[in-house]
Amino acid sequence: MLHRTRSLAALLAAAAIAAACATAPKVNLQTEEQAIRDLDRRWVEAIAARDIATIMSMYAPDAYVAVPNMPAASGLDATRALWGELLKLPNMSLPFAPTRVLVARSGDLASDVGTFRMSFDGPDGRVNDEGSYTTTWRKIDGQWKATSDMTVSSKPLPPAPAPAPAPTVAVMMLEEGQHEKMAGGSLQWSPLTIPGIPAGAMRAVIHGDPGKSGDFTMRLKFPD
């Protein structure tokens, strides 16, 4: 009798599971994938039309957005501000397209990976960039919303600046016969009177005339 009771309980449990599975909605992954691809197309059209309202409708309230050369945005207010700056770029173009969309079997999460090209008019001409993006989607109240949207530029980094040239050292060479030799006792010393120099300083002109243009050489002596 106990064995029959256990068998009946197991049968009822299996029937309950089967009934639950039968009533659970089946997810059509292809349909959900196509829905996300359609959203991507609407997104590109909204960027071309500078339609920020449609752009913002793609995001979840807790969205996180990161694009090259700009601070990351967290939340709808920051995301709107980020897109506002992007749409101000002169003649900005930003087409993108998915290369792979993966939808979870649960039908409420998806990953969207693709490529983008961006260009706008800069002060020195047209600026071009390209790379890849990854968008994570989540279903909220039956609607797909982007919870994270991240782009990575594939442009190579600019070359490192060339090392600074070595400082130029000027060297004056004297031809043989231009050297002058003077005995220390033959130097004629005279007071050196320059504002700021203590009294008692002396100078001896070895070559040239300090009062005229041209090079000259002097020996100086200062008191302790």
Side-chain angles (χ1 to χ4, degrees), residues 56-206:
M56 293 305 301
S57 70
M58 302 291 175
Y59 289 105
D62 58 348
Y64 179 85
V65 183
V67 300
N69 307 314
M70 294 184 70
S74 180
L76 292 181
D77 290 341
T79 299
R80 180 181 291 274
L82 183 149
W83 273 105
E85 292 300 317
L86 288 176
L87 296 178
K88 288 179 184 177
L89 295 174
N91 200 20
M92 192 270 285
S93 174
L94 182 55
F96 63 89
T99 56
R100 184 183 66 181
V101 177
L102 297 178
V103 181
R105 291 185 178 181
S106 60
D108 57 355
L109 291 173
S111 174
D112 176 2
V113 179
T115 58
F116 75 92
R117 297 190 311 275
M118 181 178 182
S119 60
F120 59 91
D121 293 335
D124 299 323
R126 197 70 175 161
V127 179
N128 298 290
D129 193 12
E130 61 184 24
S132 59
Y133 74 87
T134 301
T135 303
T136 302
W137 298 85
R138 184 175 79 242
K139 264 198 174 179
I140 301 176
D141 297 331
Q143 301 292 323
W144 286 110
K145 299 293 181 180
T147 58
S148 69
D149 182 23
M150 307 181 69
T151 58
V152 179
S153 174
S154 61
K155 286 287 187 179
L157 293 174
T168 302
V169 179
V171 179
M172 182 173 67
M173 304 296 293
L174 296 178
E175 298 290 341
E176 185 66 27
Q178 289 184 312
H179 296 279
E180 298 182 26
K181 294 182 180 180
M182 300 180 65
S186 65
L187 295 177
Q188 296 183 1
W189 293 91
S190 62
L192 176 63
T193 55
I194 297 178
I197 300 297
M202 304 292 288
R203 73 171 185 174
V205 178
I206 298 174

Side-chain angles (χ1 to χ4, degrees), residues 203-214:
R203 73 171 185 174
V205 178
I206 298 174
H207 166 77
D209 186 346
K212 298 180 180 180
S213 62

